[in-house]
Amino acid sequence: MKNKIIMAIVVLCCSFNSSKGQTNNIYAEFLGVGLLGSINYERMVKDNIFARVSYGGFSVESTDYDDYWNEVTIKTSINPFSLGAHYLMGNKLKLEVGGGISYWMISFDGEVSGANDVGGLSVSEDGGFLMFYGSLGFRYQNPEGGLNLKAGVSPILATVDGESATLAWPHLAIGYAF
């Protein structure tokens, strides 16, 4: 699965011709579509319209004890891979509006160990969910390139087993435009 993601990134980065006004952005985003954080690449495809690809991550591990004093360890990892488009309005301080799709690769590992277990129990499961996201915020980006900063909100529309929910994640980012 990760090889397919890397190939998709390479195809996206190389598929646009280098016509006039070509601009690239690389930035690290805190919160937002990547949950806790993500690495993002944007490329201008038309005046003020950018194609975006990002890869983020979130991991948590917890340990507890069951009723028989066995240690129960649960590891959960969510890695969102997102594709989208953003439209920027303004000169240096820009209003940013965008959206796209995000595929959440989810990994769950659980293990029971202890004096009272029966040979140990281990559970591992992988899966994924397709989500949609929006983005609304402000970005400081000099048209000549250099440092860029952005802040806003990224609502994520999640649909699991027919139930829908919207998660409104704020985002902060710092990067470099060239």
Side-chain angles (χ1 to χ4, degrees), residues 3-46:
N3 289 337
K4 290 179 185 178
I5 291 171
I6 292 169
M7 286 301 295
I9 292 170
V10 170
V11 168
L12 180 69
C13 293
C14 298
S15 64
F16 305 113
N17 66 20
S18 57
S19 63
K20 65 179 178 109
Q22 195 66 45
T23 303
N24 298 286
N25 295 315
I26 295 176
Y27 57 92
E29 186 174 63
F30 176 66
L31 297 174
V33 177
L35 297 178
L36 283 184
S38 63
I39 299 296
N40 300 268
Y41 173 75
E42 289 181 337
R43 186 167 178 125
M44 184 186 289
V45 294
K46 205 169 188 177

Side-chain angles (χ1 to χ4, degrees), residues 10-134:
V10 170
V11 168
L12 180 69
C13 293
C14 298
S15 64
F16 305 113
N17 66 20
S18 57
S19 63
K20 65 179 178 109
Q22 195 66 45
T23 303
N24 298 286
N25 295 315
I26 295 176
Y27 57 92
E29 186 174 63
F30 176 66
L31 297 174
V33 177
L35 297 178
L36 283 184
S38 63
I39 299 296
N40 300 268
Y41 173 75
E42 289 181 337
R43 186 167 178 125
M44 184 186 289
V45 294
K46 205 169 188 177
D47 290 339
N48 296 323
I49 299 176
F50 289 81
R52 172 187 180 177
V53 61
S54 71
Y55 184 75
F58 170 77
S59 294
V60 65
E61 181 176 333
S62 65
T63 302
D64 203 354
Y65 291 91
D66 66 8
D67 294 338
Y68 302 103
W69 295 97
N70 294 313
E71 186 176 82
V72 179
T73 304
I74 299 172
K75 299 174 190 172
T76 305
S77 176
I78 303 173
N79 296 99
F81 174 71
S82 303
L83 296 172
H86 294 255
Y87 180 71
L88 303 179
M89 294 174 276
N91 188 19
K92 286 187 179 182
L93 183 60
K94 303 170 187 260
L95 175 65
E96 176 183 14
V97 178
I101 59 172
S102 184
Y103 183 72
W104 289 15
M105 297 171 280
I106 300 171
S107 173
F108 173 80
D109 293 311
E111 185 176 294
V112 177
S113 61
N116 297 319
D117 70 343
V118 183
L121 175 66
S122 179
V123 176
S124 180
E125 188 67 35
D126 292 326
F129 294 101
L130 188 62
M131 311 286 182
F132 295 95
Y133 75 91

